[in-house]
Amino acid sequence: MLIDISMLRRNGIEKVETNFKAKCIATIRSTHYINSERKIYTSDFIDYKPVTKKLENETYFEFPETKECLTFFLQNIFRKKEFRAGQLPILNRAMQGKV
């Protein structure tokens, strides 16, 4: 798969030649790109494991296995040691597709 992300490219300024042979090519440009045909392809909603569960006393239980996986990405992508207070319940709602 080839993913070409060039948000600052403008149509007609450069000649783009790719020597890559990929079955699937994703090209991402800004809306300023003249030849942009807005197509969005998505899959079905992914059913993620819950990260937290709200308890009766307005606190949250954190599922250790899921928290560990998310913490791995937090540390390796964002270079943060741990989540701040309240971030995991917010992340959980987003991953469950809730407002």
Side-chain angles (χ1 to χ4, degrees):
M1 175 177 204
L2 171 64
I3 302 176
D4 180 4
I5 302 173
S6 300
M7 297 304 292
L8 298 177
R9 282 194 178 170
R10 300 294 189 260
N11 189 32
I13 294 178
E14 80 290 332
K15 183 177 180 183
V16 179
E17 292 182 22
T18 57
N19 295 326
F20 297 102
K21 293 184 180 177
K23 290 182 181 179
C24 184
I25 298 174
T27 304
I28 301 171
R29 300 287 187 264
S30 75
T31 57
H32 299 290
Y33 198 75
I34 293 174
N35 291 335
S36 66
E37 295 178 22
R38 296 180 187 214
K39 295 180 184 178
I40 299 175
Y41 301 99
T42 63
S43 64
D44 294 334
F45 186 74
I46 299 172
D47 189 23
Y48 292 103
K49 292 181 181 179
V51 183
T52 61
K53 179 181 179 182
K54 191 172 186 177
L55 303 175
E56 291 179 15
N57 60 358
E58 299 298 318
T59 60
Y60 290 90
F61 170 76
E62 298 172 349
F63 293 94
E65 182 181 317
T66 313
K67 180 181 177 183
E68 182 181 341
C69 294
L70 291 174
T71 302
F72 173 83
F73 287 105
L74 179 75
Q75 292 171 348
N76 289 286
I77 294 174
F78 300 104
R79 304 289 184 209
K80 301 292 182 186
K81 185 176 179 182
E82 57 190 24
F83 288 98
R84 292 184 282 177
Q87 283 185 319
L88 282 175
I90 294 169
L91 188 57
N92 182 62
R93 288 186 60 82
M95 290 174 64
Q96 302 305 318
K98 299 177 182 175
V99 179

